[in-house]
């Protein structure tokens, strides 16, 4: 199973995977029904979750029902428990980069959200756009979600500046990235262009850096006020295990 998932992830383009998943997801979810683990996004439980990873496969991380990963379930819990994202009486204008299937329909159906998706390639994107040159006016959005995108972008400084530009004053941006908290400094090497080498060094063939602990200060240098939210420490340990979360993962919650 793990070898099959690794092969699929590394050989089939992501837009095609998204389309294929609509067929495979209900079949896989039915076959894995159980009680060991629960996806908090939809409340469904399974005897096991699926493996996931482009280079190193992680066990019990991909939900068979929503296709959420650890970061998606953690973000959902944070938005649901700690913010008014789902309950605000005033409509929030939301910009969502590279929209994940785990969230797409859920957010689209929220009556209190004016919801726009954007990406260069995703079939779920309302607006095809380059994150370094966004076609949006200044100070437009109450909430920006940009999760596991910046590690793909060669000029992440420009991308961060664009995110800051289109966020409203007082608005919130959640900018999750894969992060190695054992590293003080972010590592990047533009000379590494071979996809296999990138996968070995950066963890995925289309990543261009490994973010370290300095990521938060880089966001602050752009102008964001950053809360380093270690949210798994606020969740009961048995639920961290039940929901298959990554203990110690930090949510970068940014404000303008």
């Amino acid at each position: 199973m793990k070898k099959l998932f690794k092969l699929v992830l590394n050989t089939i383009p992501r837009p095609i995977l998204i389309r294929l998943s609509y067929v495979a997801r209900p079949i896989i979810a039915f076959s894995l029904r159980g009680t060991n683990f629960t996806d908090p996004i939809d409340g469904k439980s399974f005897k096991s979750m699926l493996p996931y990873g482009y280079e190193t496969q992680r066990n019990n991380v991909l939900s068979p029902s929503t296709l959420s990963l650890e970061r998606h379930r953690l973000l959902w819990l944070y938005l649901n428990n700690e913010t008014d994202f789902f309950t605000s009486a005033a409509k929030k204008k939301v910009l969502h980069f590279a929209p994940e299937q785990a969230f797409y329909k859920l957010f689209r159906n929220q009556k209190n959200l004016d919801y726009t998706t954007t990406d260069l390639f995703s079939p779920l994107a309302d607006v095809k756009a380059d994150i370094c040159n966004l076609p949006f006016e200044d100070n437009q959005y109450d909430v920006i979600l940009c999760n596991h995108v910046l590690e793909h972008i060669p000029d992440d400084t420009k991308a961060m500046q664009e995110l800051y530009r289109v966020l409203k004053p007082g608005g919130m941006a959640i900018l999750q990235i894969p992060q190695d908290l054992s590293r003080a400094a972010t590592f990047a090497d533009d000379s590494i262009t071979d996809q296999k080498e990138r996968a070995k060094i950066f963890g995925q063939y289309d990543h261009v850096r490994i973010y370290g602990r300095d990521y938060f200060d880089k966001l602050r240098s752009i102008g964001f006020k950053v809360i380093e939210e270690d949210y798994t420490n606020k969740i009961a340990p048995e639920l961290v295990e039940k929901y298959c979360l990554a203990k110690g993962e930090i949510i970068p919650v940014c404000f303008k």
Side-chain angles (χ1 to χ4, degrees), residues 135-184:
F136 308 117
E137 298 291 331
D138 296 354
N139 306 316
Q140 285 291 298
Y141 292 96
D142 299 291
V143 179
I144 293 176
L145 302 173
C146 181
N147 302 319
H148 284 234
V149 172
L150 292 171
E151 69 276 10
H152 299 265
I153 309 301
D155 190 353
D156 65 337
T157 300
K158 179 60 176 174
M160 291 175 186
Q161 290 170 340
E162 282 290 89
L163 293 170
Y164 186 83
R165 179 182 67 81
V166 302
L167 185 66
K168 285 182 181 180
M172 178 182 72
I174 294 184
L175 311 177
Q176 289 173 296
I177 41 84
Q179 187 175 25
D180 182 354
L181 291 171
S182 70
R183 292 176 179 265

Side-chain angles (χ1 to χ4, degrees), residues 241-253:
E241 183 175 351
K242 186 79 171 177
Y243 296 154
C244 295
L245 304 177
K247 181 67 175 175
E249 179 177 354
I250 307 298
I251 306 174
V253 185

Side-chain angles (χ1 to χ4, degrees), residues 106-117:
L106 176 66
F107 293 174
R108 180 72 76 198
N109 291 333
Q110 280 294 125
K111 301 298 184 183
N112 68 318
L113 303 182
D114 179 359
Y115 179 64
T116 300
T117 60

Side-chain angles (χ1 to χ4, degrees), residues 233-244:
N233 276 334
K234 298 180 180 179
I235 300 171
E238 61 270 20
L239 291 181
V240 171
E241 183 175 351
K242 186 79 171 177
Y243 296 154
C244 295

Side-chain angles (χ1 to χ4, degrees), residues 84-92 110-113:
D84 65 349
F85 185 83
F86 295 110
T87 59
S88 173
K91 183 165 283 193
K92 290 183 180 293
Q110 280 294 125
K111 301 298 184 183
N112 68 318
L113 303 182

Side-chain angles (χ1 to χ4, degrees), residues 14 19 31 62 96 104 118 146 159 171 199 220-221 241 245:
R14 191 172 290 112
R19 292 186 172 94
S31 68
L62 181 67
H96 191 174
Y104 180 73
T118 184
C146 181
R220 292 183 180 106
S221 75
E241 183 175 351
L245 304 177

Side-chain angles (χ1 to χ4, degrees), residues 26 68 70 73 78 82 136 138 158 163 179 188 213 230:
S68 65
E70 308 102 307
R73 295 186 289 274
Y78 179 79
E82 306 298 331
F136 308 117
D138 296 354
K158 179 60 176 174
L163 293 170
Q179 187 175 25
R213 296 191 304 275
D230 186 0

